[in-house]
Amino acid sequence: MSRITLPRTARRLTVAAAAAATAVLLTAAPAAAHVEVESDKAQALAVNAELTFVAESESATAGITELRVVLPEGVTPADVTYGEGPKGWTFTANDDGYTVKGPAVKVGEGAEYSVVVRQLPDAKELAFKTLQTYSDGKIDRWIELGESSGGGHGNEAPVLELKAAAPGAKPVSPSAAESESPAASPTPTPTAEETAVSPSPQAADTETDDSGGLSAGAWTGIVAAVLVAIAAVVFVVRRRGSAQQ
């Protein structure tokens, strides 16, 4: 069988077509997440970990003005403090996360800011769902979870992968039960001085009342003594009468 050899021009056209097809395939591939997070302390139970976020712009006509973040499980808004960000931007805590916003950054440029987390939870990765708002009102929603979390593709949330906790590392934040349950008020124990000046009810009966008179116990003893004396007199009188008869 004879070998078919393509002319040089035909070979060039074939190579050009293959290159064009490859470029089309690369262009059609889904883009990576446009909000990224990183930290030098990306480790479970790390304390005072600084997290840096970079939100890339997808608009050619408007600048980024706001980033709304939903915190992952194990991190509360009270655990987060603001670090640095674009000039004029402010930090506000929300019920489930926080918002950083301010004057629009330059069109086409990304917005970078940092926060400090009191302690990272004991987890393998943390997803920070983010809503990215532009000056024209457009919103990019980086909220989908990756394959490891059973989510989809395209607008994945920024994820911080954590190393295993260091040996001996322990949570420093109080548990929810401890923070929500007020401490029980201890029952005060009487001091020795309070015990000495607070007589028992039985002892109080034998003491003199505030008016200076005798107590009920003292009057009872006097009455008993008088009755005994009367009985003795009656006995003596009867005995003398019997002797005279």
Side-chain angles (χ1 to χ4, degrees):
M1 178 181 297
S2 61
R3 182 178 180 182
I4 300 176
T5 303
L6 293 175
R8 180 178 296 180
T9 303
R11 289 201 302 268
R12 289 179 179 176
L13 291 175
T14 302
V15 172
T22 302
V24 171
L25 291 175
L26 292 176
T27 303
H34 285 269
V35 177
E36 299 178 353
V37 57
E38 61 180 15
S39 174
D40 292 336
K41 287 188 175 181
Q43 185 174 22
L45 299 181
V47 178
N48 294 327
E50 183 178 14
L51 278 58
T52 300
F53 292 82
V54 178
E56 298 179 1
S57 176
E58 285 196 333
S59 175
T61 58
I64 302 171
T65 59
E66 179 180 315
L67 296 168
R68 166 83 163 86
V69 176
V70 177
L71 291 170
E73 184 177 357
V75 181
T76 67
D79 295 328
V80 181
T81 55
Y82 190 44
E84 297 180 345
K87 184 177 180 179
W89 280 36
T90 59
F91 173 93
T92 304
N94 305 318
D95 293 338
D96 57 356
Y98 62 85
T99 299
V100 287
K101 64 180 180 179
V105 299
K106 188 176 180 180
V107 176
E109 291 187 358
E112 179 177 341
Y113 73 94
S114 65
V115 296
V116 176
V117 180
R118 183 187 180 196
Q119 184 180 39
L120 298 179
D122 190 2
K124 293 183 178 180
E125 62 180 26
L126 303 174
F128 296 84
K129 297 181 179 181
T130 303
L131 300 181
Q132 179 174 326
T133 303
Y134 295 85
S135 57
D136 60 0
K138 177 187 174 184
I139 299 177
D140 291 337
R141 303 177 183 274
W142 308 111
I143 59 176
E144 295 184 6
L145 301 178
E147 292 181 350
S148 60
S149 302
H153 301 278
N155 286 20
E156 286 92 348
V159 174
L160 180 66
E161 296 183 356
L162 303 181
K163 296 184 295 185
K170 297 180 180 179
V172 297
S173 301
S175 64
E178 292 175 344
S179 61
E180 294 176 1
S181 300
S185 301
T187 302
T189 303
T191 62
E193 292 78 10
E194 291 174 339
T195 303
V197 300
S198 300
S200 62
Q202 293 80 4
D205 288 342
T206 61
E207 296 180 355
T208 305
D209 60 19
D210 294 338
S211 63
L214 297 177
S215 65
W219 281 111
T220 301
I222 293 173
V223 172
V226 171
L227 292 176
V228 170
I230 295 174
V233 172
V234 172
F235 175 77
V236 172
V237 171
R238 288 182 177 180
R239 184 176 183 180
R240 289 181 178 177
S242 298
Q244 291 177 359
Q245 293 178 356

